[in-house]
């Protein structure tokens, strides 16, 4: 069996670069709007290879539910207008690090996504398993 032990996030929502370490039991706690749901959505993006047909972001966590898109996440969109985003361009990486409980061997999988404020859609640059 493989267990998820780390989540590496680069340029996703309000996170510029973050690593979340997971134990057997892990909780995400914090005030509203500080990225708890975004971390869960980042896991989903990596697991589904950024496939728009498979993703269902947690719109309930956002009063502006329509801003919950992968492009908006990459650009750090926290409101409706272009002046309410953290970055104009993003090269987003989301990497999940798993550990085989029997052998102790790690396995990393993830996705690289490009997004720009002057384009309507994000572009998946690559999917990887190491």
């Amino acid at each position: 069996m493989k267990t998820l032990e780390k989540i590496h996030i680069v340029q996703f929502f309000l996170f510029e670069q973050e690593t979340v370490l997971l134990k057997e039991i892990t909780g995400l706690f914090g005030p509203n709007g500080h990225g708890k749901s975004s971390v869960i959505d980042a896991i989903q993006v990596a697991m589904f290879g950024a496939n728009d047909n498979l993703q269902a972001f947690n719109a309930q966590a956002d009063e502006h539910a329509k801003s919950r898109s992968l492009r908006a996440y990459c650009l750090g969109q926290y409101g409706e207008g272009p002046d309410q985003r953290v970055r104009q361009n993003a090269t987003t990486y989301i990497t999940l690090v798993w550990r085989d409980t029997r052998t102790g061997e790690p396995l990393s999988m993830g996705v690289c996504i490009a997004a720009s404020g002057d384009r309507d859609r994000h572009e998946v640059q690559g999917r990887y398993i190491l």
Side-chain angles (χ1 to χ4, degrees), residues 41-59:
D41 285 342
I43 294 169
Q44 180 184 183
V45 169
M47 291 288 295
F48 292 136
N51 183 329
D52 286 334
N53 296 322
L54 300 174
Q55 294 169 158
F57 294 131
N58 183 4

Side-chain angles (χ1 to χ4, degrees), residues 11-57:
Q11 292 191 334
F12 188 79
F13 193 48
L14 302 179
F15 304 111
E16 200 55 39
Q17 184 172 339
E18 191 71 40
T19 297
V20 179
L21 302 175
L22 304 170
K23 302 288 182 185
E24 188 174 331
I25 298 172
T26 300
L28 298 174
F29 300 95
N32 291 346
H34 280 72
K36 299 178 301 293
S37 294
S38 301
V39 171
I40 303 301
D41 285 342
I43 294 169
Q44 180 184 183
V45 169
M47 291 288 295
F48 292 136
N51 183 329
D52 286 334
N53 296 322
L54 300 174
Q55 294 169 158
F57 294 131

Side-chain angles (χ1 to χ4, degrees), residues 10-123:
V10 176
Q11 292 191 334
F12 188 79
F13 193 48
L14 302 179
F15 304 111
E16 200 55 39
Q17 184 172 339
E18 191 71 40
T19 297
V20 179
L21 302 175
L22 304 170
K23 302 288 182 185
E24 188 174 331
I25 298 172
T26 300
L28 298 174
F29 300 95
N32 291 346
H34 280 72
K36 299 178 301 293
S37 294
S38 301
V39 171
I40 303 301
D41 285 342
I43 294 169
Q44 180 184 183
V45 169
M47 291 288 295
F48 292 136
N51 183 329
D52 286 334
N53 296 322
L54 300 174
Q55 294 169 158
F57 294 131
N58 183 4
Q60 298 231 352
D62 191 350
E63 63 188 48
H64 306 290
K66 66 182 179 182
S67 68
R68 289 267 172 170
S69 69
L70 188 47
R71 175 184 172 271
Y73 264 137
C74 293
L75 296 177
Q77 192 82 40
Y78 56 88
E80 294 298 318
D83 58 325
Q84 294 178 308
R85 65 173 65 125
V86 175
R87 58 192 76 81
Q88 180 63 21
N89 297 293
T91 303
T92 298
Y93 291 91
I94 304 168
T95 303
L96 307 179
V97 180
W98 303 83
R99 178 106 20 213
D100 187 300
T101 56
R102 187 177 52 80
T103 66
E105 290 291 317
L107 174 98
S108 297
M109 61 171 291
V111 64
C112 174
I113 306 156
S116 175
D118 58 3
R119 288 184 287 164
D120 291 337
R121 297 222 1 101
H122 65 277
E123 181 180 337

